[in-house]
Amino acid sequence: MSAISAPGFIRTGDGVDLFYRDWGQGEPVLFIAGWSLPSDMWQYQMLALSQRGLRCIAFDRRGHGRSSDPGRGYDFDTLADDIAAVIDALGLEQVTLVGHSMGCNEIVRYLSRHGEARVKRVALLGTMTPMICRDDSNPDGLDPALLAFFRTQQLGRDFPAWIDENMPPFLTPDTSPGIANWLRQLALGASLQALVECNRALASADFRAELARISSPVLLIAADQDVSAPFELTAKPTAALLPNAQLRMYQGAPHGMFVTHTERVNDDLLTFLDAA
């Protein structure tokens, strides 16, 4: 059972306190952050949507931001259960789930594990589904050794240096230094152990069968300059597997489209919320 344990915190069934923010009133929208980032990443979406009469909620994944750092629970089943804990504790119904990057995978696992009865629609930005690593059934995937190298030789040795090297392709050349520095500090606030284990879970995950069973309307937002989630490996096969999906491709956009193409993301989310 989950419950509100203190103002701004939800305690999960396994005793982890998840920090959450809750803005506005109206139909609920629950945001799930990408790998390494806390709920702060969604503030420009939450501000715009809450000012348009929607209730916007976002929480920090365990080991991220202001949530507990329990040293466990970074498999997708447990992360999906954390989404369920937030939905249950806040009594959300007819909720729209919005995810970015790895957060999209957590949403898909929530839907397959907990069902769609409380969900009205789903938006996936820069999704890492359906499967990113190569095997005999996914020959165009990434070499698993590359992700293992990232965990041990980059993430495990000098995460700040990796952020500095990978921030430029995450953004656009005209993104302000302030936004880049803000994102850098948000990422550095995450537990290194959580980052390693989340990446390990992502490397071994296969969501193909789960995507095919989702009946809710899904908006996919992809970016043609996304080096973290290449279109041919992620959004394209995800769209083909989903029974009820619409795809938006952003030309010239990177993985960080939530800050580089903020107005377009917000407009597309509002249009989707109004129509579906």
Side-chain angles (χ1 to χ4, degrees), residues 142-166:
L142 303 176
D143 184 347
L146 292 177
L147 291 179
F149 177 86
F150 163 69
R151 290 191 297 272
T152 59
Q153 303 303 311
Q154 296 178 308
L155 184 55
R157 291 192 174 187
D158 195 339
F159 183 43
W162 182 87
I163 294 176
D164 291 341
E165 292 169 4
N166 288 274

Side-chain angles (χ1 to χ4, degrees), residues 200-249:
R200 195 188 311 277
L202 187 64
S204 62
D206 179 357
F207 291 89
R208 289 174 291 188
E210 294 167 69
L211 286 164
R213 295 195 297 267
I214 294 173
S215 60
S216 299
V218 179
L219 171 66
L220 284 165
I221 297 179
D224 73 335
Q225 299 301 309
D226 192 335
V227 299
S228 300
F231 176 71
E232 295 289 333
L233 181 61
T234 58
K236 183 178 178 180
T238 296
L241 288 164
L242 287 164
N244 189 12
Q246 54 179 292
L247 175 65
R248 297 279 185 275
M249 172 63 82

